[in-house]
Amino acid sequence: MTVAVIDRPVLVVAGARPNFMKVVPILHELERRGVPRLFVHTGQHYDVKMSEALLADLGAPTPDVMLDVGSGTHAVQTARVMERFEPVLMEHRPSWVVVVGDVNSTLACALVAAKLREELGCRIAHVEAGLRSHDWAMPEEVNRVLADQLSDLLLLPVEEARGNLQREGLASVPTVFVGNVMIDALFSVLEAGRKLQAPAKHGVEPGRFVLATLHRPSNVDDPQQLAFLLEALAAVAETTPVVFPIHPRTTARARSANLEDLLAKLIVTEPFGYMEMSAMLCEAAATVTDSGGVQQEATVLGIPCLTMRDRTEWIDTVQTGTNRLASWPPTVESVKRETREAISRGRVSIGAKAPAGWDGKSAARIVDAMLNAVGGRQGAR
Ligand code: UD1
């Protein structure tokens, strides 16, 4: 095996909440191996609860570069990241640009790096490559398909993702199965999280509450859909308390649709830090969510999950038996019934049924893949 010596830094990009838990294990692993690294935070998420608190929980290094792009339409946000990322790339001339997941910052930075690949001799690694919802209405689907097309090294969280890349003409791009790096982050906080006694802080008893999250534009941007989903959660709350750490997008939409009455029936909190979220999930009777991350974490923890979408990129979570997709379109009755079913399924110990590579060792495989990589896109040095 040839191990390329990396004398220029590996530049790791994070922009939004679901990126942070994926980059921190990679940053730690680079550090441990003495590989020079540069941590760039685009500032797509900027609220303390959406960014700093999560990074602190994960023991993240302070970002070396902050782009402070903030919110905006998709075009504005993506363009702003591109504009501010280009000079950073020119200045630091990294050996690798690592982008993770599928948020606007992922695509923006991959696109800038692809245009400078020849000039700077840098390569792009996409962590979480090959996942697809096959739903082009989701901004994330656009971001992930294009990020894969731009990358030199495709790092798969699940083996099934390989077929999607082959179908999209990417069979010749180096592709390595590395497993799920978010599980590295989850394992790193579990022990400290248990000591928080998080349920008591929110007035609920361990094993006797539902943890709910909703933030997908398709669920929260349409006032009628949001009203209906909150009504369904309120119906669940008649028998089991529902803790609802609310995303800023959902807060804004609920406010403008005058849905405070429905929110009042739930235990609404600010977004949790990563440790508190994991601690609450560990103790929940079930979770109702539209987040990809929560589906994965619930699977590893064996917590029954009801996913409020008509499909999932994370098929393994359904195959493992912890996750079920809600009947779609849902009704207040169906959400209530399916949440009850989830609660009565109870916690399972998934043990050997855990998806391969969801073992807390993914960051090491990611760094190995970069150090051992040869080739990439035609013309890459
Ligand atoms: C983004 C990602 C989504 C991810 C989600 C997790 C894209 C296309 N979407 O969606 O894949 O699942 O993050 O949270 O990249 N806001 C704040 N404070 C913040 C961040 C956002 O108040 O720190 C508000 C702003 O009003 C903003 C809205 O939330 O307009 C939405 O934020 P944005 O980053 O545009 O998308 P998300 O819905 O968070």
Side-chain angles (χ1 to χ4, degrees), residues 16-18 43-48 50-51 70-72 74 77 102-105 139-140 143 215-217 247-250 252-253 291-292:
R17 183 165 68 174
Q44 177 174 341
H45 283 175
Y46 43 85
D47 279 2
V48 172
M50 299 291 285
S51 170
S71 299
H74 287 279
Q77 194 173 55
D102 55 19
V103 304
N104 287 340
S105 303
E140 292 84 356
N143 292 340
H215 76 279
R216 293 269 161 217
H247 187 285
R249 173 189 280 275
T250 313
R253 300 294 191 267
S291 148

Side-chain angles (χ1 to χ4, degrees), residues 63-380:
D64 300 292
V65 180
M66 287 291 297
L67 301 182
D68 291 323
V69 298
S71 299
T73 63
H74 287 279
V76 166
Q77 194 173 55
T78 308
R80 236 186 251 152
V81 175
M82 289 180 70
E83 216 170 14
R84 295 185 191 182
F85 185 58
E86 189 180 52
V88 174
L89 210 54
M90 307 273 281
E91 181 188 344
H92 294 281
R93 307 180 77 86
S95 53
W96 283 97
V97 172
V98 180
V99 294
V100 302
D102 55 19
V103 304
N104 287 340
S105 303
T106 309
L107 173 60
C109 293
L111 190 48
V112 172
K115 299 280 180 83
L116 287 170
R117 175 160 35 211
E118 287 295 308
E119 187 182 334
L120 303 180
C122 66
R123 285 184 285 176
I124 305 162
H126 184 207
V127 174
E128 238 180 48
L131 290 183
R132 298 291 180 264
S133 64
H134 306 289
D135 176 2
W136 280 96
M138 285 179 75
E140 292 84 356
E141 183 75 355
V142 178
N143 292 340
R144 50 173 96 97
V145 169
L146 295 179
D148 284 339
Q149 287 291 339
L150 295 166
S151 294
D152 300 276
L153 178 61
L154 299 166
L155 299 166
L156 308 180
V158 289
E159 261 302 342
E160 293 72 25
R162 200 181 290 273
N164 292 328
L165 296 170
Q166 286 168 351
R167 275 188 290 281
E168 290 168 21
L170 295 174
S172 63
V173 178
T175 301
V176 181
F177 168 72
V178 292
N180 189 343
V181 73
M182 223 178 77
I183 305 306
D184 294 26
L186 177 67
F187 286 169
S188 76
V189 300
L190 275 185
E191 205 182 308
R194 283 203 185 96
K195 295 186 188 136
L196 292 178
Q197 300 196 321
K201 231 181 93 186
H202 300 288
V204 290
E205 286 175 52
R208 290 175 177 270
F209 66 94
V210 168
L211 182 61
T213 79
L214 290 175
H215 76 279
R216 293 269 161 217
S218 54
N219 277 336
V220 307
D221 283 4
D222 170 18
Q224 269 178 337
Q225 171 82 352
L226 179 59
F228 154 75
L229 289 174
L230 292 179
E231 205 181 309
L233 290 178
V236 171
E238 283 165 14
T239 47
T240 311
V242 176
V243 180
F244 189 48
I246 192 165
H247 187 285
R249 173 189 280 275
T250 313
T251 308
R253 300 294 191 267
R255 230 177 249 150
S256 60
N258 295 319
L259 299 175
E260 279 90 350
D261 286 1
L262 289 172
L263 285 179
K265 299 186 176 165
L266 313 176
I267 302 172
V268 177
T269 75
E270 291 196 315
F272 288 147
Y274 191 61
M275 203 180 283
E276 189 169 17
M277 181 68 191
S278 310
M280 287 295 281
L281 189 56
C282 275
E283 304 282 10
T287 183
V288 177
T289 189
D290 61 7
S291 148
V294 175
Q295 293 172 54
Q296 299 158 61
E297 289 157 351
T299 287
V300 169
L301 298 171
I303 303 297
C305 178
L306 178 66
T307 293
M308 296 309 297
R309 285 177 58 197
D310 64 346
R311 63 190 81 198
T312 178
E313 297 80 4
W314 297 96
I315 308 287
D316 290 56
T317 62
V318 177
Q319 286 163 350
T320 311
T322 49
N323 188 17
R324 297 218 178 138
L325 296 177
S327 304
W328 213 260
T331 62
V332 169
E333 260 323 298
S334 72
V335 175
K336 205 168 143 184
R337 185 185 66 247
E338 288 165 9
T339 306
R340 281 219 195 102
E341 272 166 21
I343 295 172
S344 60
R345 283 206 304 278
R347 176 188 282 238
V348 291
S349 171
I350 62 161
K353 273 176 31 196
W358 293 29
D359 57 0
K361 296 175 187 154
S362 182
R365 291 189 286 264
I366 290 169
V367 174
D368 280 344
M370 283 191 286
L371 295 179
N372 296 329
V374 276
R377 291 278 162 183
Q378 204 182 11

